[in-house]
Amino acid sequence: MATLGSLVLELSANVGRLQTDMQKAVGIVDRGAAGMKRAASLASSALAGLGAGLLGGLSVGALSSVIKSTADYGDRLNDLSKSTGATVEQLSFLDFAAKKSGSSLEGLTSGIARMQKNLIEVSQGGGKQAAAAFNALGLSASTLTRTDLVGQLSAIADGLAKIQNPTQRAATAQVLLGKSYRDFLPLLSEGSAGVKELATRFVELGGVVTK
């Protein structure tokens, strides 16, 4: 039978799309146990894309906790989105990646913000150090700016894999991703195949990856 923790992990992949319905369900739960059937129906509908028949094995209290946890998680992503400029979908994917690789969402978010800043600066003719790093990977900043997040990370992963010297590889990654580049190592070490495989799994769970 599914555990509360596993359900929350599954829900996180699609939290951007589910948050509104989850918050409605929370309101129903708060009005008392008498509204629980309606809340379960609403939650099940919102979770249909994730195969949420798993909810049938949960008690009223556990279902309420899942709904509340999901709503709180959505609020957290919205706050991060406002502070970093990343979309909720991007943050949801990064959190999924962080959980799978043992990294932190904050670390990955910081690194993506640094990467996007570098891409913009280099595309506009600035950022000499970042431009040199992209060149070392054989990548074009202007091309990457037109690529989605998965494509960007895939290209960087393969570019870093071509650098034989570990010290140079780490230095290049730090230039592009900042001090949090270490949070990316478990993901990027798998190459583009690993990044795309993770993204495919995320989408299978109902997630959406945007630029």
Side-chain angles (χ1 to χ4, degrees), residues 160-176:
L160 288 172
K162 296 176 183 178
I163 300 178
Q164 299 299 316
N165 186 301
T167 302
Q168 183 183 355
R169 188 188 312 124
T172 302
Q174 184 168 358
V175 169
L176 297 180

Side-chain angles (χ1 to χ4, degrees), residues 118-156:
N118 284 329
L119 286 173
I120 293 174
E121 290 183 350
V122 175
S123 296
Q124 295 176 345
K128 291 184 178 180
Q129 188 177 20
F134 283 122
N135 286 335
L137 301 185
L139 301 176
S140 163
S142 59
T143 298
L144 287 178
T145 57
R146 300 191 297 273
T147 305
D148 64 21
L149 180 61
V150 173
Q152 291 171 346
L153 292 176
S154 295
I156 290 175

Side-chain angles (χ1 to χ4, degrees), residues 56-159:
L58 292 180
S59 66
V60 166
L63 174 59
S64 175
S65 181
V66 169
I67 293 171
K68 184 64 166 63
S69 295
T70 304
D72 290 344
Y73 179 81
D75 289 338
R76 178 192 177 206
L77 291 192
N78 277 327
D79 290 342
L80 275 174
S81 178
K82 292 175 183 177
S83 65
T84 65
T87 67
V88 170
E89 290 84 358
Q90 286 177 328
L91 292 170
S92 186
F93 171 66
L94 289 176
D95 193 42
F96 182 74
K99 286 183 171 67
K100 293 296 185 182
S101 63
S103 302
S104 71
L105 173 59
E106 288 72 20
L108 295 185
T109 300
S110 174
I112 291 299
R114 176 66 175 269
M115 179 186 74
Q116 299 299 345
K117 179 176 181 292
N118 284 329
L119 286 173
I120 293 174
E121 290 183 350
V122 175
S123 296
Q124 295 176 345
K128 291 184 178 180
Q129 188 177 20
F134 283 122
N135 286 335
L137 301 185
L139 301 176
S140 163
S142 59
T143 298
L144 287 178
T145 57
R146 300 191 297 273
T147 305
D148 64 21
L149 180 61
V150 173
Q152 291 171 346
L153 292 176
S154 295
I156 290 175
D158 284 349

Side-chain angles (χ1 to χ4, degrees), residues 32-47:
M36 204 59 215
K37 287 186 179 180
R38 184 182 170 199
S41 175
L42 179 57
S44 295
S45 175
L47 295 168

